[in-house]
Amino acid sequence: MRLYYVDEREGESCFIRSALGVDADAWNGFFQRVRGWRAELRERFGVTPSMELQPLGLLGPGPDGGCGPLSPEQGAAVFESGLRLIEDAARFGGGVEVINVCLLRHESGRHQEVSLGRLLTRIDTSARSAAGHAFLIFDEVREEPITRLYRRLRVHNPIPSRYEAWQDGSPTRNIPLDRIIGGPAFRSAGDDHVLQMAGFVAHALLLQEEPADALEAGLDCPFSTLSRALNREASQRDPQGVVRR
């Protein structure tokens, strides 16, 4: 079983969904890493564990960086260290992966629904490849459309062929989600440190796709910190495995 924490970010041109997957067997170890990191932030910067770490707040303008006692420079350091935590967990502990979808908003008025469908399909495929199952955890916003789409894809999920058609000549094949079980769960990101980490991933990808904000924050492509954690099989068309269509 793998637990996937899902968050989203929207920029001027891009809409991004990211899923941070943690194997059930690796979850305790990963959570201890996160707890240790939050304890370190409390000692170094006075950021209490009850404070929600939002990338926009960490990297925002102003003397406090938008996040309590942190300066913008300290906020950027916290943001980068959170990404390194995910990468180190994947590299040295295993059982951690990241799946990302990035769609151009102008290409589809349904980018929220389409991106979610793409992400759920890749999560289902990853779970099937591992001969396991997945459980989804979202921030407690847009609960109704997320649940509705999940239920629909459990029954009808038309997947186009990578080539002109499937072997039977059909342009699409119905491959319902059957590895994502239990239905989506919804939690407050402010109360869930791991869900906040998924937000770090989504925001890092947004900064890669729309780098002006990253440069303003003094960051040099923070998404490149993630390498071993990336599920590159999610899209063979993209070197980072980002699903873009």
Side-chain angles (χ1 to χ4, degrees):
M1 172 73 76
R2 178 167 288 171
L3 284 72
Y4 285 89
Y5 296 80
V6 183
D7 206 351
E8 64 189 56
R9 287 295 183 276
E10 186 167 8
E12 292 186 5
S13 60
C14 297
F15 186 84
I16 290 166
R17 288 192 190 270
S18 296
L20 171 59
V22 184
D23 284 351
D25 291 343
W27 193 91
N28 282 330
F30 182 76
F31 185 68
Q32 289 303 319
R33 286 176 181 264
V34 175
R35 285 189 63 186
W37 174 64
R38 293 301 300 255
E40 180 182 345
L41 296 184
R42 178 176 55 194
E43 294 298 321
R44 292 182 59 190
F45 303 121
V47 177
T48 64
S50 62
M51 181 179 294
E52 180 180 357
L53 295 181
Q54 297 181 346
L56 281 175
L58 291 171
L59 306 177
D64 292 334
C67 188
L70 300 184
S71 68
E73 293 76 17
Q74 291 171 331
V78 169
F79 182 63
E80 291 185 310
S81 69
L83 295 173
R84 285 196 300 272
L85 183 153
I86 296 170
E87 175 66 9
D88 289 347
R91 185 179 298 274
F92 302 113
V96 173
E97 75 165 6
V98 172
I99 302 176
N100 299 282
V101 176
C102 176
L103 300 182
L104 295 176
R105 294 172 55 196
H106 71 270
E107 291 185 352
S108 172
R110 299 171 51 245
H111 51 269
Q112 293 192 16
E113 178 181 342
V114 173
S115 65
L116 181 58
R118 300 286 188 271
L119 185 66
L120 296 186
T121 297
R122 266 56 178 201
I123 290 173
D124 196 77
T125 299
S126 181
R128 183 177 295 107
S129 298
H133 294 84
F135 183 76
L136 306 177
I137 302 169
F138 290 82
D139 194 0
E140 55 184 10
V141 294
R142 302 192 182 97
E143 180 172 344
E144 193 275 334
I146 290 171
T147 301
R148 184 176 64 244
L149 180 62
Y150 165 77
R151 290 173 177 171
R152 190 177 82 206
L153 297 181
R154 288 277 300 179
V155 178
H156 183 65
N157 186 26
I159 304 298
S161 171
R162 292 181 182 175
Y163 310 100
E164 293 184 0
W166 292 93
Q167 292 180 346
D168 62 1
S170 301
T172 62
R173 173 180 292 177
N174 185 32
I175 307 179
L177 305 181
D178 62 1
R179 295 289 175 164
I180 302 176
I181 61 174
F186 297 88
R187 301 194 61 179
S188 167
D191 297 329
D192 193 316
H193 290 169
V194 182
L195 189 54
Q196 292 173 37
M197 304 302 289
F200 275 42
V201 175
H203 199 80
L205 179 54
L206 180 61
L207 292 177
Q208 173 179 278
E209 301 303 309
E210 300 182 10
D213 289 340
L215 296 175
E216 184 176 341
L219 297 170
D220 183 17
C221 194
F223 191 72
S224 64
T225 299
L226 302 173
S227 178
R228 186 68 64 87
L230 297 177
N231 181 337
R232 300 178 190 274
E233 296 299 318
S235 175
Q236 298 183 2
R237 296 185 176 95
D238 186 272
Q240 296 173 316
V242 178
V243 179
R244 299 184 180 276
R245 51 181 297 182

